[in-house]
Amino acid sequence: FGLDLTRCAVTGARDDLAYVSPRTGRAVSRAGAGDWASRLLPLPACLMGQGPAPAAELAQGLQITGHFLGNSLAEALRGRPLPAARGRLLDILARPQA
């Protein structure tokens, strides 16, 4: 399993990638998303190496990876949750930044 953020799964475009398919882990452009945009995971710019990584984008990135870790590793985890430290980090990132 892994994310493929190199090009749009629908159009093949390398520009304006804005989403990740929750089923395949592949990037989707705004144009390629069409009516499916509300069903896709938002792709934070920091995962693309574009600009700084504000807390909100880091949290989005962790939510995306958590989605795939939880689904892909479910059998190996045998009903156990992802590590608690991951959840605590998400809690910290959700706090208002000073």
Side-chain angles (χ1 to χ4, degrees), residues 6 13-14 19 27 33-34 48 54-55 58-59 68 72-73 76 88 93 97:
T6 57
R14 294 181 182 267
Y19 304 99
M48 301 295 295
L58 290 174
F68 292 103
S72 299
L73 295 178
R88 289 191 303 270
L93 292 172
Q97 302 297 310

Side-chain angles (χ1 to χ4, degrees), residues 42-47 52-64 89-97:
L43 175 59
C46 68
L47 283 187
E57 285 190 19
L58 290 174
Q60 281 181 322
L62 285 167
Q63 289 168 346
I64 289 171
L89 177 57
L90 279 166
D91 290 342
I92 290 168
L93 292 172
R95 292 179 192 159
Q97 302 297 310

Side-chain angles (χ1 to χ4, degrees), residues 27-43:
V28 180
S29 67
R30 288 182 211 287
D35 293 338
W36 290 86
S38 65
R39 297 178 184 170
L40 301 173
L41 304 169
L43 175 59

Side-chain angles (χ1 to χ4, degrees), residues 1 66-82:
F1 60 90
H67 170 81
F68 292 103
L69 289 172
N71 290 335
S72 299
L73 295 178
E75 186 176 320
L77 290 171
R78 295 181 221 159
R80 294 178 306 211
L82 292 173

